[in-house]
Amino acid sequence: MKICVMPGDGIGPEIMEQGVKVLNVIGEKFGHKFETTEALIGGAAIDATGGPLPEETVKACKESDAVLLGAVGGPKWDTIDPAIRPERGLLGIRKELSLFANLRPAALFSELKDACYLRADIVEKGLDVMVVRELTGGIYFGEPRGTKTENGERMGYNTMVYYEHEVKRIAKVAFEAAMKRDKRLCSVDKANVLDVSRVWREIVIEVSEEYPEVELTHMYVDNAAMQLVRDPSQFDVIVTGNLFGDILSDAAAAITGSIGMLPSASLGASNPGLYEPIHGSAPDIAGENKANPLATILSIAMMLRYSFNMAEEADCIEAAVEKTLAEGLRTGDIMDEGGKLVGCTEMGEAVIKNL
Ligand code: IPM
Ligand code: MG
């Protein structure tokens, strides 16, 4: 299995180093050969080549069976031409690989329930949400877009657009995910205001006819943001567009108390899947051995599960992470009373010991 590894910027390289070590140990333990190649993306690619997504990176990804990504971006590149910002590298590779489905599970590790921001009586009802975010369409990519000066005044504009085939395929992914979980799907839109949302809702309802066992509900995005905080137990799978999914998945992650814990998978119809932690590049702690590598390690578990059908291997990683947490090891972001503060490297090594 060929895996393209893109550490990226900020804490990307350090969390990825721990992730790759875990992957190699899994390979030895289960008798698999994981061949990794590194590629540049984001700020690291800008510094080396002048652009955030070099041709060689796209080629290396396309030739792989799966792609692992750390994080992109940082203050160093905040003032450069927006057309070559580090984030463009990430958006570009999602588009190049047609990774239209972004799965972002937000669940609470029982060992971390004290880190959760919600009241104990709310958490008790359960917190296990899968956000299925459309990733290659919507307002992120819609045309026309741009900035201009009109009548001496500056203006900027983007277009939120969804085609039927885009809604259909993401709805299918979400219904399939719901079938494997609690069979409840909530489609989030803004159909009380946006035309694009009315089309979205219509098509999701049509797709639902193929999944009579799944209970489909609809919610406006503003209400969904509130309900996620008020009573997340009402959600099983959420399906939504690119921008709403970006926002709601951060909210869903944050209420678990630990954005440093959550993995994600971006999948297309046939291209290699891309796996990345949902947190960012955390430039403020980069290079200080303070980052939490667990979201990256759990992203590798998702890769094994979704791209390579290695459920046992994925379970092994997830169990090792839980065991490590149960032993009380904590990076700064998930530190609690009685926890033992460790760095990125120590956390990675503890997980390896527990594999
Ligand atoms: C995410 C990030 C990206 C996004 C940025 C870095 C371009 O916020 O993966 O959620 O907006 O999709
Ligand atoms: Mg985001």
Side-chain angles (χ1 to χ4, degrees), residues 259-275:
I259 197 165
M261 293 292 302
L262 301 184
S264 79
S266 302
L267 308 171
S270 57
N271 278 317
L274 183 148
Y275 300 84

PDB file of all heavy atoms in Angstrom, residues 259-275:
ATOM      1  N   ILE A 259     -10.617  19.459  20.399  1.00  0.00           N
ATOM      2  CA  ILE A 259     -10.460  19.504  18.945  1.00  0.00           C
ATOM      3  C   ILE A 259      -9.166  18.794  18.538  1.00  0.00           C
ATOM      4  O   ILE A 259      -9.016  18.324  17.414  1.00  0.00           O
ATOM      5  CB  ILE A 259     -10.532  20.956  18.435  1.00  0.00           C
ATOM      6  CG1 ILE A 259     -10.777  20.974  16.930  1.00  0.00           C
ATOM      7  CG2 ILE A 259      -9.304  21.761  18.820  1.00  0.00           C
ATOM      8  CD1 ILE A 259     -11.218  22.290  16.388  1.00  0.00           C
ATOM      9  N   GLY A 260      -8.246  18.648  19.484  1.00  0.00           N
ATOM     10  CA  GLY A 260      -6.986  17.945  19.215  1.00  0.00           C
ATOM     11  C   GLY A 260      -7.121  16.440  19.132  1.00  0.00           C
ATOM     12  O   GLY A 260      -6.145  15.731  18.952  1.00  0.00           O
ATOM     13  N   MET A 261      -8.343  15.938  19.275  1.00  0.00           N
ATOM     14  CA  MET A 261      -8.572  14.494  19.292  1.00  0.00           C
ATOM     15  C   MET A 261      -9.237  13.969  18.034  1.00  0.00           C
ATOM     16  O   MET A 261      -9.330  12.771  17.842  1.00  0.00           O
ATOM     17  CB  MET A 261      -9.493  14.133  20.463  1.00  0.00           C
ATOM     18  CG  MET A 261      -8.917  14.349  21.831  1.00  0.00           C
ATOM     19  SD  MET A 261      -7.576  13.225  22.190  1.00  0.00           S
ATOM     20  CE  MET A 261      -8.391  11.651  21.966  1.00  0.00           C
ATOM     21  N   LEU A 262      -9.771  14.892  17.202  1.00  0.00           N
ATOM     22  CA  LEU A 262     -10.717  14.397  16.202  1.00  0.00           C
ATOM     23  C   LEU A 262     -10.127  14.238  14.806  1.00  0.00           C
ATOM     24  O   LEU A 262      -9.526  15.149  14.256  1.00  0.00           O
ATOM     25  CB  LEU A 262     -11.944  15.306  16.156  1.00  0.00           C
ATOM     26  CG  LEU A 262     -12.679  15.395  17.492  1.00  0.00           C
ATOM     27  CD1 LEU A 262     -13.928  16.231  17.361  1.00  0.00           C
ATOM     28  CD2 LEU A 262     -13.030  14.033  18.044  1.00  0.00           C
ATOM     29  N   PRO A 263     -10.332  13.057  14.225  1.00  0.00           N
ATOM     30  CA  PRO A 263      -9.817  12.743  12.898  1.00  0.00           C
ATOM     31  C   PRO A 263     -10.835  13.076  11.816  1.00  0.00           C
ATOM     32  O   PRO A 263     -11.981  13.409  12.120  1.00  0.00           O
ATOM     33  CB  PRO A 263      -9.649  11.226  12.970  1.00  0.00           C
ATOM     34  CG  PRO A 263     -10.795  10.782  13.835  1.00  0.00           C
ATOM     35  CD  PRO A 263     -11.021  11.890  14.830  1.00  0.00           C
ATOM     36  N   SER A 264     -10.443  12.976  10.568  1.00  0.00           N
ATOM     37  CA  SER A 264     -11.416  13.092   9.483  1.00  0.00           C
ATOM     38  C   SER A 264     -10.962  12.299   8.274  1.00  0.00           C
ATOM     39  O   SER A 264      -9.773  12.003   8.110  1.00  0.00           O
ATOM     40  CB  SER A 264     -11.626  14.559   9.083  1.00  0.00           C
ATOM     41  OG  SER A 264     -10.569  15.001   8.257  1.00  0.00           O
ATOM     42  N   ALA A 265     -11.941  11.954   7.449  1.00  0.00           N
ATOM     43  CA  ALA A 265     -11.670  11.254   6.190  1.00  0.00           C
ATOM     44  C   ALA A 265     -12.342  12.027   5.078  1.00  0.00           C
ATOM     45  O   ALA A 265     -13.481  12.453   5.215  1.00  0.00           O
ATOM     46  CB  ALA A 265     -12.246   9.836   6.255  1.00  0.00           C
ATOM     47  N   SER A 266     -11.621  12.230   3.984  1.00  0.00           N
ATOM     48  CA  SER A 266     -12.219  12.852   2.803  1.00  0.00           C
ATOM     49  C   SER A 266     -12.171  11.835   1.679  1.00  0.00           C
ATOM     50  O   SER A 266     -11.100  11.363   1.299  1.00  0.00           O
ATOM     51  CB  SER A 266     -11.451  14.106   2.409  1.00  0.00           C
ATOM     52  OG  SER A 266     -11.435  15.017   3.488  1.00  0.00           O
ATOM     53  N   LEU A 267     -13.354  11.516   1.167  1.00  0.00           N
ATOM     54  CA  LEU A 267     -13.450  10.413   0.218  1.00  0.00           C
ATOM     55  C   LEU A 267     -14.086  10.841  -1.091  1.00  0.00           C
ATOM     56  O   LEU A 267     -14.932  11.724  -1.126  1.00  0.00           O
ATOM     57  CB  LEU A 267     -14.293   9.278   0.826  1.00  0.00           C
ATOM     58  CG  LEU A 267     -13.865   8.798   2.222  1.00  0.00           C
ATOM     59  CD1 LEU A 267     -14.893   7.840   2.800  1.00  0.00           C
ATOM     60  CD2 LEU A 267     -12.492   8.157   2.163  1.00  0.00           C
ATOM     61  N   GLY A 268     -13.668  10.211  -2.169  1.00  0.00           N
ATOM     62  CA  GLY A 268     -14.271  10.446  -3.469  1.00  0.00           C
ATOM     63  C   GLY A 268     -14.862   9.151  -3.983  1.00  0.00           C
ATOM     64  O   GLY A 268     -14.998   8.180  -3.237  1.00  0.00           O
ATOM     65  N   ALA A 269     -15.194   9.122  -5.267  1.00  0.00           N
ATOM     66  CA  ALA A 269     -15.788   7.910  -5.817  1.00  0.00           C
ATOM     67  C   ALA A 269     -14.729   6.838  -6.037  1.00  0.00           C
ATOM     68  O   ALA A 269     -14.935   5.671  -5.781  1.00  0.00           O
ATOM     69  CB  ALA A 269     -16.513   8.236  -7.109  1.00  0.00           C
ATOM     70  N   SER A 270     -13.539   7.228  -6.483  1.00  0.00           N
ATOM     71  CA  SER A 270     -12.537   6.215  -6.800  1.00  0.00           C
ATOM     72  C   SER A 270     -11.117   6.615  -6.413  1.00  0.00           C
ATOM     73  O   SER A 270     -10.288   5.772  -6.143  1.00  0.00           O
ATOM     74  CB  SER A 270     -12.574   5.925  -8.304  1.00  0.00           C
ATOM     75  OG  SER A 270     -12.367   7.133  -9.006  1.00  0.00           O
ATOM     76  N   ASN A 271     -10.841   7.894  -6.346  1.00  0.00           N
ATOM     77  CA  ASN A 271      -9.475   8.330  -6.039  1.00  0.00           C
ATOM     78  C   ASN A 271      -9.065   7.941  -4.620  1.00  0.00           C
ATOM     79  O   ASN A 271      -9.902   7.567  -3.818  1.00  0.00           O
ATOM     80  CB  ASN A 271      -9.362   9.845  -6.204  1.00  0.00           C
ATOM     81  CG  ASN A 271      -9.160  10.237  -7.642  1.00  0.00           C
ATOM     82  OD1 ASN A 271      -8.387   9.610  -8.350  1.00  0.00           O
ATOM     83  ND2 ASN A 271      -9.869  11.250  -8.078  1.00  0.00           N
ATOM     84  N   PRO A 272      -7.758   8.028  -4.308  1.00  0.00           N
ATOM     85  CA  PRO A 272      -7.337   7.743  -2.940  1.00  0.00           C
ATOM     86  C   PRO A 272      -8.014   8.679  -1.953  1.00  0.00           C
ATOM     87  O   PRO A 272      -8.226   9.852  -2.251  1.00  0.00           O
ATOM     88  CB  PRO A 272      -5.826   8.008  -2.973  1.00  0.00           C
ATOM     89  CG  PRO A 272      -5.575   8.800  -4.197  1.00  0.00           C
ATOM     90  CD  PRO A 272      -6.623   8.397  -5.173  1.00  0.00           C
ATOM     91  N   GLY A 273      -8.354   8.173  -0.780  1.00  0.00           N
ATOM     92  CA  GLY A 273      -8.934   9.009   0.263  1.00  0.00           C
ATOM     93  C   GLY A 273      -7.849   9.821   0.942  1.00  0.00           C
ATOM     94  O   GLY A 273      -6.670   9.457   0.918  1.00  0.00           O
ATOM     95  N   LEU A 274      -8.256  10.942   1.530  1.00  0.00           N
ATOM     96  CA  LEU A 274      -7.315  11.793   2.249  1.00  0.00           C
ATOM     97  C   LEU A 274      -7.737  11.857   3.710  1.00  0.00           C
ATOM     98  O   LEU A 274      -8.909  12.075   4.017  1.00  0.00           O
ATOM     99  CB  LEU A 274      -7.303  13.184   1.621  1.00  0.00           C
ATOM    100  CG  LEU A 274      -6.328  14.220   2.185  1.00  0.00           C
ATOM    101  CD1 LEU A 274      -5.883  15.167   1.062  1.00  0.00           C
ATOM    102  CD2 LEU A 274      -6.940  15.043   3.293  1.00  0.00           C
ATOM    103  N   TYR A 275      -6.770  11.679   4.592  1.00  0.00           N
ATOM    104  CA  TYR A 275      -7.068  11.601   6.018  1.00  0.00           C
ATOM    105  C   TYR A 275      -6.278  12.660   6.753  1.00  0.00           C
ATOM    106  O   TYR A 275      -5.072  12.798   6.531  1.00  0.00           O
ATOM    107  CB  TYR A 275      -6.735  10.196   6.533  1.00  0.00           C
ATOM    108  CG  TYR A 275      -7.559   9.163   5.789  1.00  0.00           C
ATOM    109  CD1 TYR A 275      -7.144   8.671   4.550  1.00  0.00           C
ATOM    110  CD2 TYR A 275      -8.784   8.758   6.280  1.00  0.00           C
ATOM    111  CE1 TYR A 275      -7.921   7.776   3.833  1.00  0.00           C
ATOM    112  CE2 TYR A 275      -9.577   7.856   5.569  1.00  0.00           C
ATOM    113  CZ  TYR A 275      -9.141   7.372   4.350  1.00  0.00           C
ATOM    114  OH  TYR A 275      -9.923   6.508   3.637  1.00  0.00           O
TER     115      TYR A 275
END
